[in-house]
Amino acid sequence: MVTDTEGYVHIIEYLTEHLSLFENSADATSNGKTVMAVIENELSEQIISVCSQNEALSFNQRNTVIREVDSIVYDLQEILSGVVNNNVTPEQNMFIKEFALLIKNLFDTEIHTHLLA
């Protein structure tokens, strides 16, 4: 659905272009949340929003969205494997929020283009 699109490739490229945000942050002071916890939280919020905004999605379509998000989280764990357990910095937090919104927009586009068309 989403992970096999050109848009997803571009979003992952965007992340890799900004990997420097995640370097040398092992001693970052923050609110105690890890990079992975923030990723999971932000993606969860955006996907809840996607599903609530698209009430016409069937149970199976919603499950497909959830499986896709699981795949995205796995990809992010692979890309950020060295820092997922580090405390998140404010800059990383802002980037992750933006990244999660890009993922939501990709889902919105795919849903309206292919699932509800």
Side-chain angles (χ1 to χ4, degrees):
M1 174 187 203
V2 169
T3 56
D4 60 356
T5 66
E6 190 173 318
Y8 183 68
V9 172
H10 290 298
I11 290 173
I12 294 299
E13 287 172 353
Y14 178 71
L15 171 63
T16 58
E17 290 169 4
H18 291 85
L19 283 178
S20 61
L21 278 172
F22 295 91
E23 294 174 358
N24 303 318
S25 64
D27 297 324
T29 56
S30 71
N31 57 8
K33 292 183 179 178
T34 64
V35 169
M36 197 68 233
V38 173
I39 288 171
E40 289 172 343
N41 185 58
E42 290 299 324
L43 284 175
S44 295
E45 285 182 19
Q46 294 306 322
I47 295 312
I48 289 169
S49 179
V50 166
C51 290
S52 66
Q53 291 172 353
N54 295 285
E55 294 176 2
L57 289 175
S58 69
F59 178 78
N60 287 338
Q61 290 169 326
R62 290 174 193 270
N63 280 340
T64 299
V65 168
I66 292 167
R67 280 193 304 276
E68 288 279 310
V69 172
D70 286 344
S71 179
I72 291 167
V73 169
Y74 178 80
D75 289 347
L76 296 177
Q77 284 176 317
E78 290 293 309
I79 294 167
L80 300 171
S81 62
V83 298
V84 292
N85 294 317
N86 292 354
N87 287 336
V88 69
T89 66
E91 295 82 12
Q92 292 167 348
N93 195 32
M94 285 181 14
F95 179 83
I96 293 167
K97 284 179 182 281
E98 179 184 344
F99 187 85
L101 282 169
L102 291 172
I103 295 292
K104 179 196 180 292
N105 290 342
L106 187 58
F107 273 101
D108 286 337
T109 300
E110 288 299 308
I111 287 168
H112 291 288
T113 303
H114 295 100
L115 295 182
L116 298 179

